[in-house]
Amino acid sequence: MSKILFTNGCSWTNGNGVEYDTKYVKCPGPTYTVGVKRYSWPTVLASTLNYACANHAMGGGSNSRIVRTTCEFISKFDKNHYD
């Protein structure tokens, strides 16, 4: 059974702004989304822990959206994957 790091939150958790850090992302244009997801802190942490990453963060999302989408994820998550 693989472990999953679930994250949800704001633009920072989503990875917005990473594209401006030249030590991480060197490709402009269509690879923007790939770079943001690859170098966001949840993806880096999940990789370090050898977990799968489920990053549901969205820039500009409200607290209500965070709570709602977290509850949806938990309710749909296969109960056989956790104690």
Side-chain angles (χ1 to χ4, degrees), residues 9-36:
C10 62
S11 56
W12 190 71
T13 302
N14 185 50
N16 296 61
V18 168
E19 70 275 15
Y20 299 114
D21 192 335
T22 56
K23 69 182 174 183
Y24 293 119
V25 181
K26 295 182 178 159
C27 348
T31 57
Y32 164 78
T33 304
V34 173
V36 166

Side-chain angles (χ1 to χ4, degrees), residues 1-82:
M1 169 173 52
S2 66
K3 296 184 179 183
I4 296 174
L5 174 66
F6 173 80
T7 56
N8 205 345
C10 62
S11 56
W12 190 71
T13 302
N14 185 50
N16 296 61
V18 168
E19 70 275 15
Y20 299 114
D21 192 335
T22 56
K23 69 182 174 183
Y24 293 119
V25 181
K26 295 182 178 159
C27 348
T31 57
Y32 164 78
T33 304
V34 173
V36 166
K37 292 298 181 186
R38 182 181 300 152
Y39 297 109
S40 65
W41 73 261
T43 306
V44 172
L45 178 59
S47 175
T48 301
L49 297 173
N50 200 25
Y51 284 19
C53 183
N55 185 359
H56 287 224
M58 183 177 85
S62 66
N63 288 340
S64 296
R65 184 209 157 271
I66 294 167
V67 171
R68 179 179 43 79
T69 55
T70 299
C71 290
E72 286 172 2
F73 178 84
I74 292 169
S75 69
K76 293 176 184 177
F77 192 72
D78 185 358
K79 307 299 186 265
N80 296 318
H81 287 100
Y82 62 90

